[in-house]
Amino acid sequence: MRPRLRQLALAVALCGALSVPATAVAAPPGAEPTGGKAVAAAGTHEVITWGASADRIGDAVADRGYRLVVRTSAGGTGLRIRLSNAFGDRPVTFDSAYAGVQKEGAALVDGSNRRLSFDGKRTVTVPAGATAYSDPLPGRVAAATTLVVSLHTSEAAGPVTGHSMAMQTSYTTTGDHTAEEGAGNWTERTGSWFYLDAVTVRTPSTTGAVVALGDSITDGWQSTSDLNRRWPDYLARRLQAAPRTTVKGVANEGISGNKVLADGAGQSALKRLDRDVLSHPGVRTVFLFEGVNDIKAHSGTTADDMIAGYREIIDRVHAAGACVVGATVAPFKGWYEWDADAEAVRLAINEFIRNSGEFDGVTDFDRILRSPYDRERILPAFDGGDHLHPNDKGMQAMADAVDLNGLECDRT
């Protein structure tokens, strides 16, 4: 089906009756959702279809509207969104929320914009440090849909929770224009996502999701904005095209500058693992690709320190019943922080990732991205220009290197 026809088909699906009231969820960061779900159909469960890691991204503005553009991976029914106030210092009230399908820019496909409810109500107040799920929205959402979530907060103040480097244009406005499908009042552009940190759908119980836990490479820096060319996006397309693959959901939980061990650009991977990864429904496999920021920071971090951090992540993911695929750290010679000491740590932890047997699977991004003429550098054809971040071709090569069968891992 051509993209335009697919979007119109989804618009029809989203034009059904209003959702059946269910219990809204306000939970501490990392907590499993225990409410807000419709009665489960036999043989189905919830799976994350889109996600973005949470962080503090500035200060709130009163009477602000947000029109947030995201891309689904797994298709399904009963779409729900999760709103996050994880980094807020006071409650935040959302007095209006809608979900629709993008037509172009801030404009929506006619008839696709549907009001979201929370415990049957149009408003929801999310306590500081908590999250809230919407009620399920009737109708089916197709895979690879450009979904638009519109939010309004009338009296918001204090720190805003969101994701700063979206690599996607979204829109803001003054006043509540969430119900409008036209773009006329949505004239301000933003490169961040505000408050929204997950979208879920109900799928057959055999369907699962993979969460990519990483840093700026996973976040998509140096890929082309607005074209979904981060490596997890390419992976999502591969998974959708693979007829015998049951992992269909992909959540990108990368944060630019993030480290495994220390806070800085976002909380460390160890600290945010529960909230950004393990709290999401349907997660079968965690794809861990992180470590270069710890190494190049020249903070005295050793290979043993990094291995201890990886082992803690592996143990916690396994305890949650999911699998862990580890990816080797890519070369970065030519980046201004590279030196021989950092390279030695990189090689040592890559040896652990490849050969320790402690991961459920391994993807060798180092081998895929490095130049055959200088193994400490990214292949020029894959270099985004700064010798650390891959370009679109490099991102696709990374996704193509992932063993899809390895994501099917089952620890139950």
Side-chain angles (χ1 to χ4, degrees), residues 14 17-24 35-40 46 77-81 114-120 133-139 200-202:
L14 286 179
L18 291 176
S19 58
V20 176
T23 303
K37 297 182 180 180
V39 176
E46 266 193 301
T77 60
L79 177 144
R80 299 202 303 158
I81 67 169
R114 305 300 299 162
R115 182 184 288 277
L116 293 162
S117 63
F118 301 81
D119 194 18
Y133 280 88
S134 70
D135 301 330
L137 192 65
T200 68
V201 291
R202 184 160 289 278

Side-chain angles (χ1 to χ4, degrees), residues 81 162 254 295 301 338 351 355:
I81 67 169
I295 296 169
T301 298
W338 183 92
E351 176 68 17
N355 299 314

Side-chain angles (χ1 to χ4, degrees), residues 45-339:
H45 69 168
E46 266 193 301
V47 168
I48 187 166
T49 186
W50 175 88
S53 48
D55 197 7
R56 175 176 177 169
I57 61 169
D59 294 321
V61 178
D63 194 24
R64 200 68 172 157
Y66 304 93
R67 179 152 280 183
L68 309 172
V69 180
V70 303
R71 185 81 164 175
T72 65
S73 52
T77 60
L79 177 144
R80 299 202 303 158
I81 67 169
R82 189 172 84 169
L83 301 176
S84 178
N85 192 23
F87 291 88
D89 62 4
R90 66 201 76 186
V92 59
T93 296
F94 300 89
D95 50 28
S96 185
Y98 279 75
V101 180
Q102 186 185 45
K103 180 179 181 180
E104 183 179 11
L108 308 183
V109 172
D110 292 346
S112 70
N113 203 26
R114 305 300 299 162
R115 182 184 288 277
L116 293 162
S117 63
F118 301 81
D119 194 18
K121 301 179 178 65
R122 293 184 174 189
T123 68
V124 63
T125 298
V126 186
T131 60
Y133 280 88
S134 70
D135 301 330
L137 192 65
R140 181 169 184 83
V141 179
T145 293
T146 304
L147 187 74
V148 179
V149 175
S150 301
L151 308 171
H152 181 256
T153 58
S154 59
E155 299 179 355
V160 173
T161 298
H163 188 89
S164 61
M165 197 179 80
M167 306 301 295
Q168 173 67 56
T169 302
S170 292
Y171 303 87
T172 63
T173 189
T174 300
D176 184 2
H177 301 282
T178 53
E180 299 170 9
E181 293 182 329
N185 286 304
W186 297 92
T187 57
E188 302 170 47
R189 295 174 176 239
T190 178
S192 299
W193 290 306
F194 295 82
Y195 298 111
L196 179 71
D197 78 339
V199 178
T200 68
V201 291
R202 184 160 289 278
T203 71
S205 56
T206 53
T207 301
V210 56
V211 177
L213 178 60
D215 48 41
S216 56
I217 300 177
T218 297
D219 215 5
W221 184 243
Q222 296 291 7
S223 67
T224 304
S225 293
D226 295 325
L227 293 181
N228 299 299
R229 291 181 176 177
R230 314 164 193 86
W231 74 261
D233 298 321
Y234 284 109
L235 177 61
R237 288 190 276 273
R238 283 192 67 206
L239 289 168
Q240 289 304 322
R244 290 183 294 276
T245 300
T246 63
V247 173
K248 298 297 183 181
V250 178
N252 186 334
E253 300 293 339
I255 296 182
S256 181
N258 199 230
K259 298 177 182 177
V260 173
L261 303 177
D263 294 347
Q267 293 177 327
S268 70
L270 291 171
K271 190 173 291 185
R272 66 189 183 92
L273 179 65
D274 288 344
R275 180 190 65 245
D276 285 353
V277 179
L278 300 180
S279 69
H280 294 308
V283 175
R284 187 174 302 166
T285 301
V286 176
F287 194 105
L288 176 60
F289 174 48
E290 192 155 4
V292 69
N293 291 314
D294 300 77
I295 296 169
K296 67 184 181 59
H298 303 298
S299 60
T301 298
T302 66
D304 287 342
D305 295 331
M306 294 299 300
I307 290 168
Y310 291 143
R311 282 176 168 152
E312 181 179 337
I313 291 173
I314 292 168
D315 289 345
R316 288 166 60 188
V317 173
H318 284 172
C323 298
V324 189
V325 172
T328 51
V329 178
F332 65 102
K333 187 177 181 180
W335 177 263
Y336 72 98
E337 293 171 299
W338 183 92
D339 63 18

